[in-house]
Amino acid sequence: MYADLILHNSVIYTMDETRPTASKVAIKNGKIVAFDQEADQYCGPRTRKLDIKGKVVLPGLIESHAHPLHYAANLLELDLRAEVTPTIESILSAVRKRAEELPEGEWIIGMGWDDSKLKERRFPTIEELSDAAPNHPIFLRRTCVHNAVVNRKAFEVCGLSENPVDPEGGHFHRDSDTGQLSGLIQENAMSEFSIPTITIEQLKQTMIKAQQHFFEWGITTVHEMAVKKEEMIVYQQLQKDEQFRLKARLWLWAIDQMGWKGVQEETIALGIESGYGNDRLNIQGLKYMLDGSVGGRTAAVLDPFENEMDNHGILYMSQERINELVAEAGRNNLRVSIHGIGERAIDMALKAIKQAGDPERNKQMRHRIEHCALATEEHLKEIASNGIIAASSIGFIYSIGDSYLNNLGKERAERVFPHASFKKHGIKTPGNSDMPVCTGNPFAGIYAAVTRKTVGGNQLGTKEAIPIEDAIKAYTADAAYSGFDEEIIGTLSIGKYADLIVLDQNPFLIDPEEIKDVQVLLTMIEGETVFEQTLEGRCSYV
């Protein structure tokens, strides 16, 4: 049996402790069959040989918590990231321009504004948005997706009064001086607005384009964290498309929250269990939301947010309710993923998981707490004893860490995303970006895990910094474990898929400050190239 492809003249970091490094790898039928001298035995007359020119090879990176279809959909909306619209006026200008392009009455939808990065350090108000586009309803999501700003037309077309009642788990923000609506809507209040949806066909087409961005970042597998009926249809149809190569792990949106319809009842009624599917597309479990975000000041924190002594964030449901849901999921062999950022939310998530099964059962299920930003020492002990995955959004530190510093204060911000503590307790901690909340580039998260630096140059919790090897492991071996994928991906090992990337720099040897600038030169999925930079003198076939 000859190999289809042999990569040689490379510096391979396998992330497999049994064979940490190699210089050559042989691939057959999309899987790794040999390394180094043994690889030469697989070289036949039709075997292609790829000279890596001494560059570094890593396993394909795994994004363990993201919203790829939201990212794809956002490509069709106003891009309001700070690097595109750095001021309130630039946001309003984008709104006015879109209003000129659309017929009156059509929605103007946007995504990505971040008040902590805007020059004015605030959000656009209902008055400003109403003046910019009085005849179009406007709905602009904050980067965290837990808040949005709207204009008066949006209230009008959705039949909402000027004095709306806060829904459970949501809030209509009011100006502190006038008591009038400010235009900021938080958490479940967003579900009061009927926003037009993108069609299945539109989502499929834009996701095919969006996956190329993942490949450019070196991502070969992604966990999709909010799968409802529409997303399930899209992914099933995409799997039949030869152009779609990204491996997807689906977390089903369990109950009605944030304006999205849950599918827990239907999932259980059909008898679907975690793991249903195949190596390219499978169902992981059920996803729940317990609190909001630190940037939006809606995370359920123990102590109040800075300069808001009455604000301890928002909890989406009672302890009794989450207990019932998690217990039902467990009885039906469904893993759970619980969004918990603040201490109060993490505490509730732990109680729900613990009452649903004994520690051994929980270890078998590998339940997850998403983000897990402000875990206390007691939380860490319980997470470890129950084998819970701390799905840490370490990418937040770089992209939105400055808002954590502003909203939590320096002392509390020192202990967010405690990776060194996770490691000390033996907790599996895959890294993630929650993109499109933050940049989808995993090297921003890896950089943050090593340096603990924000995009603004501040440092948060240097005692929680981890070595580069552990940071890369968070996006490879640990991320694979979080999805029960450790037998097929996550390391470069014999018998596993040849999902791999080639880098322009060696992240193990460069100055830590340069980690965020590492570029992917080539991405392979199952031995086939899905992305390659056309740079002369890089990789070449012979």
Side-chain angles (χ1 to χ4, degrees), residues 330-350:
R331 287 194 298 270
N332 289 276
N333 296 320
L334 286 161
R335 303 172 68 199
V336 301
S337 159
I338 306 176
H339 171 118
I341 289 184
E343 299 97 331
R344 295 192 295 138
I346 294 171
D347 198 64
M348 284 180 64
L350 282 168

Side-chain angles (χ1 to χ4, degrees), residues 67-77 198 202-211 213-214 224 234-235 238 244 435-436:
H67 301 275
L69 289 181
H70 290 179
Y71 175 77
N74 290 347
L75 299 179
L76 304 175
E77 301 173 351
I198 299 172
Q202 284 177 313
L203 271 177
K204 285 167 55 182
Q205 291 175 6
T206 192
M207 186 61 205
I208 290 291
K209 297 177 182 177
Q211 85 166 337
H213 298 178
F214 288 86
E224 169 70 81
V234 170
Y235 277 112
L238 281 175
F244 190 72
M435 63 91 66

Side-chain angles (χ1 to χ4, degrees), residues 291-295 299 301 338-343 345-346 369-376 379-380 383 390-394 396-397 404 408 412-419 422 429 452 464:
D291 68 344
S293 70
V294 169
V301 291
I338 306 176
H339 171 118
I341 289 184
E343 299 97 331
I346 294 171
I369 297 178
E370 302 303 317
H371 313 300
C372 208
L374 285 163
T376 66
H379 290 155
L380 294 173
I383 290 170
S392 171
S393 298
I394 189 65
F396 283 16
I397 286 184
Y404 272 60
L408 296 176
R412 249 189 309 180
E414 288 289 304
R415 62 183 183 85
V416 298
F417 307 111
H419 273 244
F422 286 139
T429 313
R452 305 287 297 191
E464 294 295 343

Side-chain angles (χ1 to χ4, degrees), residues 230-306:
E230 293 76 13
E231 287 83 1
M232 181 63 76
I233 293 171
V234 170
Y235 277 112
Q236 288 180 103
Q237 294 187 9
L238 281 175
Q239 190 181 206
K240 302 172 188 175
D241 192 321
E242 292 182 358
Q243 297 180 74
F244 190 72
R245 301 302 308 279
L246 192 67
K247 290 183 173 69
R249 305 295 180 251
L250 310 184
W251 288 90
L252 308 180
W253 193 252
I255 62 173
D256 296 355
Q257 290 182 307
M258 296 178 67
W260 299 331
K261 183 172 176 54
V263 297
Q264 177 160 334
E265 290 185 10
E266 292 87 344
T267 301
I268 291 173
L270 282 171
I272 293 173
E273 299 181 355
S274 290
Y276 178 73
N278 56 38
D279 289 350
R280 289 195 175 181
L281 180 70
N282 62 55
I283 290 172
Q284 291 284 307
L286 295 168
K287 166 77 178 298
Y288 307 95
M289 298 286 293
L290 278 183
D291 68 344
S293 70
V294 169
R297 293 185 172 236
T298 54
V301 291
L302 190 60
D303 297 316
F305 287 101
E306 290 289 285

Side-chain angles (χ1 to χ4, degrees), residues 300-516:
V301 291
L302 190 60
D303 297 316
F305 287 101
E306 290 289 285
N307 304 316
E308 286 190 77
M309 296 309 295
D310 294 328
N311 185 3
H312 289 77
I314 294 175
L315 282 169
Y316 272 40
M317 67 182 92
S318 67
Q319 185 71 63
E320 292 73 23
R321 177 62 171 150
I322 188 66
N323 284 358
E324 292 170 1
L325 292 165
V326 173
E328 183 181 41
R331 287 194 298 270
N332 289 276
N333 296 320
L334 286 161
R335 303 172 68 199
V336 301
S337 159
I338 306 176
H339 171 118
I341 289 184
E343 299 97 331
R344 295 192 295 138
I346 294 171
D347 198 64
M348 284 180 64
L350 282 168
K351 288 176 179 176
I353 291 171
K354 286 166 59 182
Q355 61 85 39
D358 61 42
E360 287 308 308
R361 170 63 171 168
N362 289 335
K363 288 177 183 178
Q364 293 171 7
M365 295 297 288
R366 299 186 195 175
H367 298 304
R368 299 178 23 157
I369 297 178
E370 302 303 317
H371 313 300
C372 208
L374 285 163
T376 66
E377 182 65 22
E378 187 59 35
H379 290 155
L380 294 173
K381 293 176 183 177
E382 293 188 1
I383 290 170
S385 65
N386 284 274
I388 296 168
I389 307 292
S392 171
S393 298
I394 189 65
F396 283 16
I397 286 184
Y398 179 70
S399 294
I400 57 177
D402 292 313
S403 69
Y404 272 60
L405 188 62
N406 294 336
N407 294 344
L408 296 176
K410 184 170 178 58
E411 183 177 348
R412 249 189 309 180
E414 288 289 304
R415 62 183 183 85
V416 298
F417 307 111
H419 273 244
S421 295
F422 286 139
K423 181 182 178 182
K424 182 181 74 172
H425 286 272
I427 298 167
K428 295 288 187 181
T429 313
N432 67 73
S433 67
D434 198 12
M435 63 91 66
V437 172
C438 298
T439 173
N441 184 353
F443 286 97
I446 293 168
Y447 168 80
V450 173
T451 68
R452 305 287 297 191
K453 282 190 176 181
T454 72
V455 69
N458 293 303
Q459 278 189 302
L460 309 180
T462 54
K463 290 182 180 180
E464 294 295 343
I466 56 176
I468 181 65
E469 183 174 0
D470 290 331
I472 292 176
K473 189 177 178 182
Y475 286 87
T476 53
D478 286 350
Y481 181 89
S482 78
F484 279 92
D485 280 330
E486 67 269 24
E487 297 299 321
I488 60 170
I489 55 175
T491 65
L492 298 177
S493 309
I494 292 174
K496 293 188 180 182
Y497 286 115
D499 293 0
L500 57 85
I501 59 176
V502 179
L503 307 179
D504 69 337
Q505 301 182 75
N506 188 331
F508 293 90
L509 301 179
I510 60 177
D511 186 313
E513 282 300 316
E514 298 177 27
I515 294 172
K516 64 182 182 302

Side-chain angles (χ1 to χ4, degrees), residues 107 137-139 148 150-151 153-161 163-172 181 184-196 256-260:
W107 283 84
I138 299 172
F139 192 93
V150 297
N151 65 349
K153 191 69 172 179
F155 276 90
E156 176 189 323
V157 300
C158 293
L160 294 169
S161 73
N163 189 31
V165 177
D166 286 347
E168 182 180 359
H171 180 57
F172 291 97
L181 291 172
L184 179 68
I185 55 175
Q186 299 176 301
E187 306 299 344
N188 279 346
M190 293 189 294
S191 65
E192 302 292 304
F193 293 83
S194 303
I195 311 303
D256 296 355
Q257 290 182 307
M258 296 178 67
W260 299 331

Side-chain angles (χ1 to χ4, degrees), residues 86-112:
T87 65
I88 297 291
E89 177 52 38
S90 60
I91 291 176
L92 298 176
S93 177
V95 167
R96 285 191 289 265
K97 184 174 185 298
R98 183 58 58 90
E100 293 174 356
E101 299 167 349
L102 296 175
E104 284 191 7
E106 287 199 15
W107 283 84
I108 296 174
I109 301 173
M111 165 71 187

